[in-house]
Amino acid sequence: MAVKRIRYFIFIKDVISLALTAFGGPQAHIAMFIKIMVEKRGYITEEELIELNALCQILPGPTSTQTVTAIGYRIGGANLAYLTLLVWMIPAVSIMTTAAILINSYQTKNLSLEFTRFIQPMAVGFISYGAFTIAKKVINTKTAIILMILSAVVTYFITTPAALPIVLVIAGSITAFKYKKQEIAEKEKVKIKWGNFTLWALVLVVAALLGALTQDRFVLLFENFYRNGSLIFGGGQVLIPFLNTEFVEFKGYLSSEEFLSGLAMVQTVPGPVFSVSSFVGALSVRDLGIGGQILAGFISACGIFLPGTFLIFFVIRFWDSLKTYRVVRASLEGINAASSGMVAAAAFILFEPIQGSVMDVSVVIGTFLLLTLTKIPPPLIILAGLLAGFLI
């Protein structure tokens, strides 16, 4: 027992280290996970980690968060996994909540935010790069191209939150009919333990009912993020159109400029990209004071992170059996294509409020090219944009 506790302590210490140093999103995170979790500590084999990461990529929720919590689950069960989730998300959530409070304070005091003027077009550049990166990975057929384009068009013109999950379901259903093109695998009987799925569904229903009955701001905020966290396939970049539709276009809690500033800032923060939820949540209740904003930031983060955590704990137990079914693998083509189209549409939607001057367009293109053609870390690109805002 003492040996186990020491191992758990060392594991949590490693997770804290990653939470403070893992910049660059899921693609960069997986390399650090291999270095520390596999090569240095041997918590898991590289093959197991890669397969676990792949599983997390096709489930709703934040890929890096699900991967690291799933490792914690395998090492020490649910208790260690939930502790892993907390120490992984708290640094980034704290920073992004603080950023929201500072931005609101600046605006309240009528202080100039002119130094952030390059940050907003840079954020569009980051989103464009995200759409490009996702498309390169998942768009491999004519069907996927068509679904990506249709998804982009639909989500550009229909800005209600309900449209996004419907598009994902329809796209996945269309490619599910192509299951005969999938490689045949020997089917295994799927033995399902429903505990974590029941927990996920119960929280979803109870949050929705409590929100409708009480109209409490914090309950509604949790429900909004929990619902979005249950529907987002593809990681942090796909989160953007959901949050923009829900909190900017539909509810008007944030301006497009504020939202873009948050998206840019999260690129400079280590840990999960989903921590931008705490920024959005804190600004959504700016009228409730600093205490309310801090609480809202934490509640929003819990709402966005918990669904993916419940679902990975649910699926990990029978995934090896489920992936033997061709229809499951075939539906992922449509889901991924639709997700890619949503991110592309988000780039256009979020560029519209920007002035669109030659300088703004140049910043968008320049940011995209820097991310595509160089290995300059995203935090340095954002910091350079802030510095340029002070000097120019």
Side-chain angles (χ1 to χ4, degrees):
M1 183 64 70
V3 173
K4 282 187 176 181
R5 287 179 179 174
I6 292 171
R7 191 178 189 222
Y8 296 168
F9 174 79
I10 294 173
F11 175 74
I12 290 298
K13 184 180 176 182
D14 289 335
V15 174
I16 293 172
S17 175
L18 285 167
L20 296 173
T21 59
F23 292 90
Q27 291 74 28
H29 293 170
I30 189 64
M32 296 190 71
F33 290 169
I34 290 173
K35 184 176 180 181
I36 294 177
M37 302 289 187
V38 176
E39 297 175 358
K40 183 178 179 181
R41 301 293 190 191
Y43 296 123
I44 191 172
T45 68
E46 185 169 345
E47 183 180 351
E48 288 173 330
L49 177 61
I50 291 172
E51 182 171 320
L52 192 59
N53 187 66
L55 170 59
C56 294
Q57 287 179 332
I58 62 174
L59 286 175
T63 302
S64 299
T65 302
Q66 288 171 305
T67 301
V68 75
T69 52
I71 295 171
Y73 187 84
R74 283 193 170 181
I75 293 173
N79 290 338
L80 183 64
Y82 287 120
L83 181 58
T84 300
L85 173 63
L86 277 176
V87 300
W88 166 251
M89 73 180 220
I90 281 177
V93 166
S94 300
I95 294 170
M96 292 306 297
T97 301
T98 302
I101 292 170
L102 291 175
I103 280 186
N104 184 59
S105 177
Y106 262 74
Q107 292 175 330
T108 302
K109 295 176 181 177
N110 294 318
L111 297 175
S112 175
L113 291 176
E114 184 65 15
F115 69 91
T116 67
R117 65 185 181 278
F118 295 130
I119 295 300
Q120 293 159 23
M122 288 177 78
V124 175
F126 272 95
I127 299 167
S128 302
Y129 175 72
F132 174 71
T133 303
I134 294 171
K136 276 202 310 182
K137 291 182 178 180
V138 303
I139 307 301
N140 302 309
T141 66
K142 290 181 180 178
T143 303
I145 293 172
I146 293 170
L147 288 174
M148 179 184 70
I149 294 171
L150 289 175
S151 169
V153 171
V154 169
T155 53
Y156 178 82
F157 287 105
I158 302 177
T159 58
T160 57
L164 301 181
I166 292 172
V167 169
L168 288 175
V169 170
I170 292 173
S173 300
I174 289 171
T175 58
F177 287 103
K178 297 171 62 179
Y179 70 92
K180 290 184 179 180
K181 294 185 178 181
Q182 297 289 322
E183 184 179 344
I184 297 176
E186 185 177 348
K187 293 181 181 179
E188 298 178 10
K189 186 177 180 180
V190 179
K191 298 178 181 179
I192 302 177
K193 295 182 178 179
W194 292 97
N196 282 292
F197 182 84
T198 303
L199 182 59
W200 164 76
L202 187 63
V203 174
L204 183 66
V205 171
V206 170
L209 290 175
L210 282 177
L213 290 172
T214 67
Q215 291 298 305
D216 181 84
R217 298 272 295 278
F218 295 108
V219 175
L220 289 171
L221 204 57
F222 177 83
E223 188 277 328
N224 291 160
F225 279 103
Y226 192 89
R227 172 167 37 84
N228 281 305
S230 300
L231 298 170
I232 295 163
F233 293 82
Q237 297 298 338
V238 182
L239 175 67
I240 293 165
F242 279 78
L243 296 189
N244 180 67
T245 298
E246 179 96 35
F247 294 96
V248 179
E249 300 287 338
F250 190 66
K251 294 179 176 173
Y253 289 163
L254 282 79
S255 67
S256 293
E257 293 77 14
E258 290 170 335
F259 186 61
L260 283 169
S261 296
L263 294 179
M265 288 177 189
V266 80
Q267 305 297 329
T268 70
V269 175
V273 176
F274 273 50
S275 61
V276 73
S277 60
S278 56
F279 178 90
V280 174
L283 281 180
S284 297
V285 297
R286 66 187 80 195
D287 57 308
L288 299 181
I290 292 178
Q293 287 184 285
I294 292 172
L295 180 59
F298 182 73
I299 286 175
S300 300
C302 289
I304 206 75
F305 284 114
L306 280 177
T309 303
F310 292 150
L311 291 173
I312 185 61
F313 293 171
F314 167 62
V315 174
I316 196 174
R317 300 184 181 197
F318 62 88
W319 170 242
D320 288 339
S321 302
L322 186 64
K323 66 184 179 183
T324 61
Y325 289 80
R326 291 185 290 170
V327 68
V328 174
R329 301 199 303 273
S331 66
L332 298 177
E333 177 187 355
I335 291 171
N336 288 332
S339 297
S340 180
M342 289 177 181
V343 179
F348 283 101
I349 291 170
L350 290 167
F351 183 73
E352 288 178 347
I354 300 174
Q355 293 179 359
S357 65
V358 174
M359 176 64 78
D360 289 333
V361 174
S362 299
V363 171
V364 172
I365 295 173
T367 302
F368 179 85
L369 292 176
L370 283 173
L371 292 168
T372 306
L373 303 177
T374 74
K375 294 184 179 180
I376 299 174
L380 292 183
I381 296 175
I382 295 297
L383 291 174
L386 286 171
L387 182 61
F390 276 112
L391 298 178
I392 299 176

